[in-house]
Amino acid sequence: MRIPPRAALAAAVVGSMMLVAAASADAQSAAVPDTAGALATTHPARVTGAAGTSITTTIRVANLSTSALTVLPHITAPAEWSTLLGGVPFTLGPHEGDTWLVSLRLPARTPAGDYTVLLRANDSAGRTLMRDSLVVTVPPRHAVALLVTERPIYAISGATYRGAVLVRNLGNVAATFRLTSRSSLGGRTTAPDSIALAAGESRVVRVAVVTTLASQESFDDAVQLRATDVADSAATAAASMQVTIVQRADASVPLLRVASTLRLRASDAATGVSPFELIGGGQLRDGHSDQLEFVMRGRASVSTPFGDQEEYRVGLRGNSYQAQIGDAFFNRSPLTGIGQRGFGAGLKLNRHNVGVAGFTQRFRLAPEPSSESGAAIHFGGGEDIGAQRLGFGAVRRQGGPLDAQILSANTTLHPLGDLAVELEYADSRGVPGHGVASSARVSGGDVVHLELGYLTAEPTFAGVMRGATSQFLSLNTQSWNRVQLLAAANEYRTAGGRGTDLESRQRNATMEVLYDSRLSLTYAARSRYSDVLFGAGKASQRGVTARAEQQLGSARVWGAGEVGRATDRSGDARHPFGALSLGGSAAVGRHIVSLYGETSQGSAISRGADRQNTLGYDVQLQMAPKTIVSVGGSDTRTGGGVGYAQMDARVTHQLPTGASVTMRVRIGGQDFRTAADGPKQAFMEYSMPLQLPIGRTHAAGRVRGRVVDQATGRGISGTLVRLGTQAAITDGEGQVAFAGLPAGAYRLSLAQQASGNTIFTGDPTVQIDSARREAASFRVAVEPAGAVRGTVRQKIVARTGLGVQPDSIVDGGPLEGVSVALAGARDTIYRTSDARGEFEFSDVSSGAWTVIVMGELPAQTQWEVERIPLVLERGGAERVAFRLVPRRRRVRIVSGDGIDEVKETP
């Protein structure tokens, strides 16, 4: 369509007018901008922050308008939160973008949960540019702290003392804490089992403890309280309080007791355990080294897999004697002994390098009735290195196949250094005939310790080694760079004797390199020959074994591998053999778990079956603070599928009295599945610790004393008195007693639960004389402590001029390092002045004292006063001052005609 020229012109004019109007409108809009919707933001993301930390997030903002924009941010956070960044106004140009950084500090006590932070931005005219919110997630935190708030300084043995511990939940969630307490001296502790606390809550827990001492000496008992969050075992804390445990002041001379354990068992006859067992030992006489040892175990009805064997034995041992009665090995020597345990009595005496011994016994476990008696004498020193000895002995054995009389002689020589040579010769005549035996042993060395031995006995010799020859060699070195070498070789042969004509021989040789007691490599060679009724047999083996053990945190792993070659009884067929064993144990909390296994293939002298596999385990579970469950078992299979499995279970519960109750069960069968149906042995055991009295302690070294108040003369109760290694607490009359202190001079010290500032007067020394039968005594008085303080300064001359005005003396400042003494009727105390010229005597008793300044003086100076006497009242304080001043000098003024004038000038 064609537009007429006039119409086009009119349209151009109208368009121009519209553009002018639009430009005018834009100018008016720029003068008064409209900011509604002019600010665009990104929605802030959810932020996670732990209580007590800071969180920061960024928000992208953009100015959508064509005008500059002033942004006034407002952040509304929860109470007690603080704004670190984000509240400062900022300006954005037209179409300009920027980052709004918002940072907040969360209080440490902020509970876990989600919190909303309101975000708002206004322009300079107060119009709202944006509204949004930020969600802050505070995760749960588990933490606990313990603080001892109350404890006694000391407590009486056997009496209850109490302490207080503040348990504070440092987490931001409510929590329940499991509480456990223990005493380092084995005292009985009583405390709540658990405590529930809100976030930030604190509560005091009371702990009661009863600790009993067995001796007169005082000991420090450390009582620990541990709190563990039930929901998070990593949140745990502990606090301990230390309390000195002492005996009562009026405790009589205590009985000397021997520690022992009594076990009573209940089971049926088929189980075969001893119905009772009493084992103990300890010091026999107070102040002496004599020791008592005893074992009493009842007879089992049948043979038992638990190894119980009837035994009754009592032994005494001192510096110069040894006595034993009951079941024991009363062997005179390796050659003369029969190698069996008998029931009898024996005595050894040593005095002035001469020793005698004698014994008699009956072999009640031998198949034929038999008995034995013997005596010996030796000359020379004891068993120490360098002591030469020569001895003779005689044994008379009656009954049985070894009925005979035996005479022996032995000697110990030390030809060089620590080298020891032991020789013995024995001659027997009796039922087996006439025979002799001899032995020799050489040992010594420090860097390399060597031992060689040889023993031989004729087939007609009436001893356990008859018809046998034994020789051995062993050496081991000291550890060098944690490497140690060990080697050993031995041969044992029998040729007739022992009532047969059989011959046998065994040889063994090993060499081992040990590193750090954890790694070892061993080479071993063994051979065995025996002449049996149906022909001779010979077997041998050689192999290498490597062992390793490593601690990994709370776990321990170990393993061993062995490879080698062996021959069968014919000595011809050669085959390889090998074995591998692995194991490990780990502590899981209060529980301990151990697993082990072994597999072997190829028969050898050291193992019988051609193929054998073993798996086993041991588990110890702490089911409760006083209850332990232990389970162990093993399953062994041979190559033919034959095997045996057994399991041993034990449950032990500790009673508050210190006794325990144990239930033990052992089952066995072809495998673990059928073991429950196999033979079972079970019994209940009640174990009770005993302190058997055997007499009173030595009464020497007794001390009695009294602590009184200086002002009233009345006794002060509850005062801790220390004397040597012992400590005791005064009774209601202020009296205290000690016993068993060795002879010598002691200085006592005092302490009180609420000590304050006190001091005691009186003679603090106690002299104990072992020749005196009566007890030593002391009496001290307690009063408030006083103090003496003072200063040491110097005076100097200030020159005023050359005219008629005299010179003056002014303060020259403090003197440091000057010795000052405080002398009284009983004691003298010394102090040194500090940088400020000050000194102080604290804890001073009342009475007359003299303060004396000491030390060399500079030239031409003197102390204004050297000694200051004073009388100190009870709990009073006195202050003194010493001044070092210039010494006055005599000056002579001489004129031409003589001396005109004599003056004194400083």
Side-chain angles (χ1 to χ4, degrees):
M1 181 178 65
R2 182 175 181 275
I3 301 176
R6 291 184 178 181
L9 179 60
V13 173
V14 173
S16 299
M17 294 176 63
M18 294 177 64
L19 289 174
V20 172
S24 177
D26 290 340
Q28 293 177 3
S29 174
V32 183
D34 183 6
T35 59
L39 188 67
T41 62
T42 59
H43 184 71
R46 178 186 291 266
V47 180
T48 299
T53 63
S54 300
I55 58 101
T56 302
T57 186
T58 58
I59 303 172
R60 185 66 182 175
V61 296
N63 182 5
L64 301 181
S65 69
T66 58
S67 304
L69 186 63
T70 300
V71 181
L72 304 177
H74 298 277
I75 301 174
T76 304
E80 299 185 2
W81 291 32
S82 56
T83 302
L84 303 179
L85 296 173
V88 179
F90 58 91
T91 302
L92 295 175
H95 302 293
E96 183 183 1
D98 203 349
T99 299
W100 183 8
L101 194 64
V102 177
S103 181
L104 301 170
R105 175 72 180 178
L106 283 61
R109 296 177 296 175
T110 305
D114 291 337
Y115 296 84
T116 301
V117 178
L118 299 180
L119 305 176
R120 181 169 55 89
N122 296 342
D123 61 6
S124 57
R127 289 184 290 270
T128 301
L129 298 176
M130 59 83 68
R131 292 179 183 271
D132 210 331
S133 62
L134 171 66
V135 177
V136 180
T137 299
V138 179
R141 184 185 72 243
H142 296 267
V144 62
L146 274 68
L147 176 66
V148 176
T149 60
E150 180 183 335
R151 70 170 182 89
I153 300 176
Y154 49 84
I156 298 176
S157 172
T160 301
Y161 68 90
R162 292 175 173 80
V165 179
L166 181 68
V167 183
R168 179 176 299 160
N169 182 6
L170 298 180
N172 59 358
V173 293
T176 299
F177 299 98
R178 182 175 60 252
L179 302 178
T180 57
S181 57
R182 60 180 298 273
S183 162
S184 62
L185 295 181
R188 186 172 71 253
T189 62
T190 303
D193 295 331
S194 63
I195 184 174
L197 298 175
E201 184 183 2
S202 300
R203 198 180 307 162
V204 173
V205 171
R206 302 285 177 177
V207 183
V209 188
V210 178
T211 302
T212 303
L213 298 181
S215 65
Q216 288 292 107
E217 295 185 6
S218 63
F219 292 92
D220 288 338
D221 190 9
V223 179
Q224 183 187 76
L225 181 69
R226 180 174 292 275
T228 304
D229 195 326
V230 174
D232 184 1
S233 60
T236 182
S240 61
M241 55 184 182
Q242 185 169 310
V243 180
T244 301
I245 308 299
V246 300
Q247 293 288 0
R248 295 182 181 274
D250 56 351
S252 59
V253 178
L255 294 174
L256 184 64
R257 300 176 183 271
V258 173
S260 59
T261 302
L262 174 64
R263 296 183 177 92
L264 303 176
R265 301 185 177 113
S267 66
D268 56 18
T271 302
V273 294
S274 300
F276 69 88
E277 181 181 84
L278 178 63
I279 301 177
Q283 189 177 7
L284 178 64
R285 295 188 298 165
D286 187 33
H288 295 78
S289 60
D290 307 68
Q291 295 290 317
L292 169 68
E293 180 187 16
F294 55 88
V295 176
M296 298 182 182
R297 185 181 295 113
R299 173 185 293 182
S301 57
V302 295
S303 62
T304 169
F306 297 104
D308 284 1
Q309 189 174 18
E310 183 183 17
E311 184 178 2
Y312 303 96
R313 170 169 50 89
V314 178
L316 298 176
R317 184 175 67 255
N319 291 332
S320 60
Y321 72 93
Q322 183 176 348
Q324 200 160 6
I325 184 171
D327 295 293
F329 287 94
F330 295 97
N331 291 346
R332 168 66 190 86
S333 69
L335 290 182
T336 61
I338 197 174
Q340 293 184 20
R341 190 179 65 164
F343 186 87
L347 177 65
K348 294 181 180 180
L349 300 175
N350 296 281
R351 189 173 179 84
H352 302 305
N353 293 330
V354 177
V356 295
F359 70 91
T360 181
Q361 62 180 331
R362 178 175 58 87
F363 302 110
R364 60 189 178 105
L365 299 180
E368 300 180 26
S370 58
S371 62
E372 182 182 72
S373 299
I377 185 171
H378 77 262
F379 305 93
E383 303 293 339
D384 299 333
I385 294 295
Q388 313 282 349
R389 296 186 65 174
L390 176 63
F392 304 93
V395 174
R396 177 67 177 99
R397 190 177 301 120
Q398 295 177 316
L402 297 180
D403 188 320
Q405 296 178 355
I406 307 174
L407 299 177
S408 67
N410 62 83
T411 183
T412 301
L413 304 174
H414 296 276
L416 180 64
D418 63 350
L419 184 66
V421 179
E422 302 174 39
L423 304 174
E424 183 179 5
Y425 177 84
D427 183 289
S428 71
R429 299 173 184 269
V431 172
H434 176 217
V436 298
S438 61
S439 69
R441 182 187 183 96
V442 179
S443 64
D446 185 15
V447 177
V448 177
H449 184 77
L450 177 69
E451 289 192 15
L452 344 138
Y454 179 81
L455 185 151
T456 182
E458 295 179 349
T460 54
F461 179 71
V464 69
M465 294 297 294
R466 65 194 186 281
T469 300
S470 174
Q471 48 193 339
F472 70 90
L473 165 67
S474 71
L475 65 87
N476 61 78
T477 66
Q478 287 185 348
S479 179
W480 180 74
N481 286 342
R482 297 189 290 181
V483 177
Q484 188 177 11
L485 177 65
L486 301 93
N490 65 77
E491 181 185 48
Y492 182 81
R493 291 182 296 170
T494 61
R498 303 177 182 273
T500 70
D501 294 329
L502 303 180
E503 181 181 355
S504 66
R505 181 179 65 248
Q506 295 183 14
R507 292 175 178 172
N508 300 284
T510 61
M511 179 174 291
E512 180 180 7
V513 178
L514 185 65
Y515 176 76
D516 199 25
S517 301
R518 298 183 297 106
L519 305 175
S520 68
L521 184 65
T522 305
Y523 171 79
R526 297 181 175 89
S527 65
R528 181 175 61 192
Y529 170 82
S530 62
D531 184 6
V532 297
L533 296 176
F534 303 101
K538 181 179 181 181
S540 65
Q541 74 174 59
R542 288 178 175 83
V544 177
T545 303
R547 295 182 177 87
E549 181 179 341
Q550 181 64 45
Q551 191 77 27
L552 301 174
S554 62
R556 183 172 63 92
V557 295
W558 63 89
E562 182 181 11
V563 294
R565 299 187 68 84
T567 62
D568 56 13
R569 285 180 53 82
S570 66
D572 298 328
R574 210 166 174 77
H575 61 271
F577 71 90
L580 177 65
S581 62
L582 297 172
S585 65
V588 184
R590 296 178 298 173
H591 315 303
I592 301 176
V593 179
S594 299
L595 300 174
Y596 59 91
E598 181 178 4
T599 180
S600 63
Q601 189 168 4
S603 61
I605 297 176
S606 56
R607 60 177 59 85
D610 180 68
R611 181 179 299 173
Q612 183 172 295
N613 298 313
T614 300
L615 290 175
Y617 65 92
D618 286 294
V619 180
Q620 180 176 297
L621 305 176
Q622 184 86 34
M623 305 304 295
K626 302 289 185 178
T627 304
I628 297 178
V629 177
S630 301
V631 181
S634 64
D635 187 349
T636 301
R637 308 275 110 191
T638 61
V642 180
Y644 181 77
Q646 73 172 21
M647 183 178 69
D648 201 329
R650 181 185 316 205
V651 180
T652 301
H653 179 71
Q654 194 78 23
L655 301 176
T657 58
S660 64
V661 178
T662 301
M663 174 67 182
R664 187 170 179 181
V665 179
R666 176 173 290 181
I667 60 177
Q670 294 184 353
D671 52 44
F672 280 134
R673 292 175 298 177
T674 61
D677 300 327
K680 303 180 182 66
Q681 289 86 25
F683 65 89
M684 291 283 295
E685 179 182 274
Y686 176 78
S687 177
M688 176 175 57
L690 298 176
Q691 295 290 332
L692 298 179
I694 59 174
R696 292 194 175 275
T697 58
H698 186 52
R702 291 179 296 130
V703 177
R704 293 188 177 276
R706 192 173 186 223
V707 181
V708 300
D709 183 88
Q710 175 71 17
T712 64
R714 296 177 180 176
I716 300 177
S717 63
T719 300
L720 176 68
V721 183
R722 291 186 181 273
L723 202 61
T725 60
Q726 297 186 21
I729 299 176
T730 56
D731 60 13
E733 298 297 324
Q735 297 179 348
V736 70
F738 300 90
L741 287 168
Y746 296 86
R747 186 180 181 93
L748 63 87
S749 61
L750 306 181
Q752 293 176 286
Q753 297 281 19
S755 59
N757 190 19
T758 59
I759 194 172
F760 67 90
T761 60
D763 189 358
T765 60
V766 177
Q767 186 72 37
I768 298 178
D769 187 352
S770 58
R772 294 179 56 185
R773 300 182 60 86
E774 64 274 10
S777 62
F778 67 86
R779 185 181 186 275
V780 294
V782 177
E783 66 176 28
V788 176
R789 303 178 181 90
T791 58
V792 182
R793 303 185 70 85
Q794 63 178 337
K795 295 289 187 179
I796 60 176
V797 176
R799 302 296 181 183
T800 58
L802 299 177
V804 296
Q805 297 295 330
D807 295 334
S808 61
I809 298 178
V810 297
D811 184 50
L815 291 177
E816 182 181 3
V818 178
S819 297
V820 181
L822 181 65
R826 192 188 73 238
D827 205 356
T828 300
I829 315 170
Y830 298 90
R831 294 288 187 271
T832 303
S833 61
D834 58 17
R836 296 178 297 179
E838 298 178 352
F839 61 88
E840 179 181 3
F841 297 92
S842 58
D843 298 334
V844 182
S845 61
S846 60
W849 296 88
T850 302
V851 189
I852 307 170
V853 64
M854 308 171 65
E856 296 183 2
L857 300 179
Q860 302 301 325
T861 61
Q862 66 181 12
W863 293 109
E864 188 178 52
V865 178
E866 293 187 23
R867 307 168 67 92
I868 302 177
L870 57 86
V871 177
L872 189 64
E873 301 293 335
R874 297 175 63 249
E878 295 288 341
R879 179 172 291 276
V880 297
F882 292 100
R883 289 186 291 271
L884 184 66
V885 299
R887 183 186 298 274
R888 290 183 174 272
R889 293 171 292 175
R890 300 178 65 87
V891 179
R892 295 181 179 183
I893 302 175
V894 182
S895 65
D897 297 332
I899 299 175
D900 293 340
E901 185 178 4
V902 177
K903 293 184 178 181
E904 287 189 357
T905 178

